[in-house]
Amino acid sequence: MSEINTSIKQPPSIKISSGEYHQRWRLIKDALARYGVVAGGLGVIVAIVLIFFYLLYVIYPLFISATAESVSEYAVPEQALGNTLLLEMEEQNEVGARFTDSGQVVFFETATGKTLLTQAVAIPEGAHITSFAQGSPINEGAVIYGLSDGRAVIAKHQYKVTYPNNVRVITPSLKYPLGEQPLVLDDSGAALEKIAVKVGEDATTIVAKTADTPQGGRIGSLPIATLPTPRDGGSAANGLEPLPPPSLAVAGKIRLINFQKEQSLFADEAALTRTDSVLEQSAAGIADILIDKDESNLYLISNDGQLGFFDISDKSSPAIRQQQNVVDAGQKITSVAFLNGDLSLMIGDSSGLVSQWSMVKDKLNRPAMQKIRSFKVSDKAVVAINAEQRRKGFMTTDADGIVGIYHSTAEREMIKERVSDALPTAAVLSPRANALLVQSADGKMHFWHIDNEHPEVSIKSLWQKVWYESYPKPDYIWQSSSANNDFEPKYSLTPLVFGTLKAAFYAMLVAMPLALMGAIYTAYFMAPGMRQYVKPSIEIMGALPTVILGFLAGLWLAPFMEEHLTGIFALLMIVPVGVMLFAFAWQFLPKAITENISEGWDAAILIPVILLSGWLAFKVSVPLETYLFHGTLQDWLKAEMGIGYDQRNALVVGVAMGFAVIPTIFSIAEDAIFSVPKHLTVGSLALGATPWQTMTRVVLLTASPGIFSAVMIGFGRAVGETMIVLMATGNTPVMDLSVFQGLRTLAANIAVEMPESEVNSTHYRVLFLAALVLFMFTFVFNTLAEVIRQRLREKYSSL
């Protein structure tokens, strides 16, 4: 057997040199860096887009239209018990109450109409109801019945909530805050034609209009109308005086009765102290009576459109404050109601107009009613107005049966619906304004659900002047919360945007000259040895936490500037003059001295000059202030120019925030100037230009894109600053151009109020809207800045 050679050839080995290995590794690193930069850039873009859409997601509900949806319709519960005087609903929208003209109260389920309880009000025998009024619905729902014999009964409907077996059960009931015994309001027994009541914890005030009665008043315990006449057997002999002729009648009066509770140390129950008075006002034509929640103001509305405004703070001597016509000529008042808080009256007339009249101070600082806005709700007469209990909204019903819901401050029409084909005869909004109960003339009860979460927000309320209650004129106001439940939220973003721009303006006014001039000198004129210390030192300033700067500005700088305000202004004049004088004197010094200073180190010599000039400015400011202003500069500004001075003001912010912005502008601008190619400067100097001409006509033009970027980034830094303006401005959202007044910025407002805002509330969403405004402002501004920067780069890239 022959041997067969089966040897296999091995492939030639490939040897990679060290240089090729490093080249491949460099390419891999370049690719990783490229993809990493792209991924980072895309990540930034995605993050910005996500932030933008999240802000939109949070604020979108602010601009969703309100909706109303019918839940159920059923026959009026216990309709045989009489006509409805008042409809009420408890907070959970589960139980309603119907007050009838027969003195019955029917409690029923709002969703089904099932009767839960029927209770009779303690109306005495022999008397019938002649008037009825609702007290404050917020104060446990007090109502008053005026009777035909001059007496009245006050009742309250209340609801007890229990949870047997973890099921909510609401139990309605009536109580009598002043007792079941009727209150005698008119001793003559005249019927109470109109009545109003306010029930407080310690006091109750009632105002009633009595009917015209024959002269003679009450004889014995019976009204005159029931006594026998002489032809019925009455004579002077049996003690009965003959009645006067019917034409001789006593005109009705407007009576004010106040019951004050006085608690004794030795008695279990509080004693009632009564105060009676009669208004010096004709009762003829009085159509409505209203008392505010403080029981200090009384409003009488006449059929002819007159509004009488009375001060009843002193219950024994009420005084008229104002009498005026509140509707247009030829129109009549058809409905009237308090807006929540009882600071405004909503008056509806026969033309379908609802006007808001609020108490403001006149030129003599006296309270007076002033019309601040109006709503054209219909072409028909407004037959009823119902105010929301917790917001400045109200509901109207017109003669065509159209129900509308409006918000007074935002001046928005939220809902306008025809609830029933028949004319509504009674209606009520739930305490949370999320349900509506309407009774129509066809004997039906309509229960509707309302979705109206954010009625306070509108373009007008956010960006335009609004006339708020108790304010003398329309204004831009931000005031989101108050300790008072009757508070009218004020969500104007205009003073916040104004404060943001004002703070940024004064910060840039301080930072730009110092930073840019310093960058120019450092990059072009300063010696390299000195530059290596100056530039890092200024850049390190940018690492200082702004909370530290804000802390120092609020606790040290603001009091210092208040105490040495004249010295601050003297500093701006004396320091430049001192530097110029030193420069002028420098040229006359012996050359042995001047030539020992290396070129580019000149700035170091100015340090003691600046310090000495600053010391001199503060030293001479005290006698200068006394001589020129005969006191302090703040007092002179207030007396002579009407300019007030707040300790934490825009001047403090300008200095403190300017100090924070200087490193940013300086660093970027200095790099841009220093990076100008040397052949440009050398060529310019070789052609005979001076260093200053080269700087202004060659270097600055070439570096202008970078300088512009520095200014824009510094401006964005100032706009978005939070902690310095939060701690050094006083956070007063006022629109005042004065450098001596405080301000509030968008960023600071978000930082202050976001922690205390209720999630998903109107306040919460408006703060996110402020964040979106700030976001869009910086985005648009930076985009425009980038476009301008690119054009500058293209224009001067050929140099």
Side-chain angles (χ1 to χ4, degrees), residues 484-559:
N484 193 337
N485 292 329
D486 303 329
F487 171 70
E488 181 179 23
K490 304 168 182 65
Y491 291 129
S492 177
L493 295 179
T494 304
L496 304 181
V497 173
F498 177 86
T500 301
L501 297 177
K502 180 181 177 180
F505 171 77
Y506 284 114
M508 297 299 289
L509 195 64
V510 172
M512 277 183 56
L514 296 177
L516 293 181
M517 295 301 105
I520 292 172
Y521 184 84
T522 304
Y524 192 74
F525 295 104
M526 187 175 287
M530 187 176 183
R531 179 177 178 272
Q532 68 180 354
Y533 294 107
V534 172
K535 189 172 188 296
S537 300
I538 297 179
E539 289 176 343
I540 289 175
M541 288 168 49
L544 188 65
T546 56
V547 66
I548 302 298
L549 293 177
F551 179 81
L552 292 174
L555 297 184
W556 173 76
L557 182 61

Side-chain angles (χ1 to χ4, degrees), residues 500-744:
T500 301
L501 297 177
K502 180 181 177 180
F505 171 77
Y506 284 114
M508 297 299 289
L509 195 64
V510 172
M512 277 183 56
L514 296 177
L516 293 181
M517 295 301 105
I520 292 172
Y521 184 84
T522 304
Y524 192 74
F525 295 104
M526 187 175 287
M530 187 176 183
R531 179 177 178 272
Q532 68 180 354
Y533 294 107
V534 172
K535 189 172 188 296
S537 300
I538 297 179
E539 289 176 343
I540 289 175
M541 288 168 49
L544 188 65
T546 56
V547 66
I548 302 298
L549 293 177
F551 179 81
L552 292 174
L555 297 184
W556 173 76
L557 182 61
F560 177 83
M561 294 184 73
E562 182 182 29
E563 185 178 355
H564 302 91
L565 184 60
T566 307
I568 298 296
F569 287 105
L571 193 71
L572 300 177
M573 296 181 290
I574 294 179
V575 170
V577 171
V579 172
M580 293 176 65
L581 291 175
F582 178 79
F584 178 76
W586 178 260
Q587 60 184 328
F588 298 105
L589 291 178
K591 290 187 177 181
I593 298 176
T594 58
E595 291 179 354
N596 286 332
I597 306 299
S598 302
E599 185 178 357
W601 286 85
D602 313 72
I605 307 175
L606 289 177
I607 294 177
V609 176
I610 293 174
L611 293 177
L612 182 62
S613 300
W615 173 82
L616 180 63
F618 286 106
K619 200 67 176 175
V620 302
S621 64
V622 176
L624 192 66
E625 184 177 42
T626 303
Y627 176 76
L628 293 178
F629 307 113
H630 307 288
T632 65
L633 177 57
Q634 292 93 323
D635 294 339
W636 183 86
L637 289 171
K638 184 67 175 178
E640 298 296 329
M641 306 180 67
I643 300 176
Y645 184 90
D646 289 342
Q647 185 187 76
R648 301 186 179 188
N649 51 48
L651 182 61
V652 177
V653 173
V655 173
M657 196 154 66
F659 185 82
V661 172
I662 282 175
T664 302
I665 300 177
F666 172 86
S667 180
I668 299 174
E670 201 274 346
D671 287 338
I673 297 171
F674 191 77
S675 300
V676 173
K678 293 299 181 183
H679 67 270
L680 295 178
T681 58
V682 172
S684 175
L685 294 172
L687 292 173
T690 65
W692 182 253
Q693 290 173 329
T694 302
M695 164 58 62
T696 56
R697 300 182 184 181
V698 177
V699 176
L700 290 183
L701 293 180
T702 307
S704 59
I707 296 174
F708 186 77
S709 296
V711 173
M712 291 301 101
I713 292 174
F715 184 76
R717 169 85 165 75
V719 168
E721 175 56 42
T722 302
M723 295 310 300
I724 293 177
V725 292
L726 184 66
M727 304 174 73
T729 64
N731 284 311
T732 51
V734 296
M735 295 185 64
D736 195 325
L737 288 171
S738 172
V739 71
F740 303 122
Q741 293 297 315
L743 52 92
R744 178 181 286 195

Side-chain angles (χ1 to χ4, degrees), residues 125-137:
E125 294 184 7
H128 61 272
I129 299 171
T130 56
S131 58
F132 176 86
Q134 180 185 22
S136 173

Side-chain angles (χ1 to χ4, degrees), residues 41 46 113 159 204-205 273 342 522 597 798:
V46 170
Y159 305 89
T204 297
T205 300
T273 301
D342 295 0
T522 304
I597 306 299
S798 59

Side-chain angles (χ1 to χ4, degrees), residues 345-358:
L345 285 175
M346 307 305 296
I347 299 176
D349 63 25
S350 54
S351 68
L353 191 72
V354 175
S355 54
Q356 181 179 352
W357 291 75
S358 184

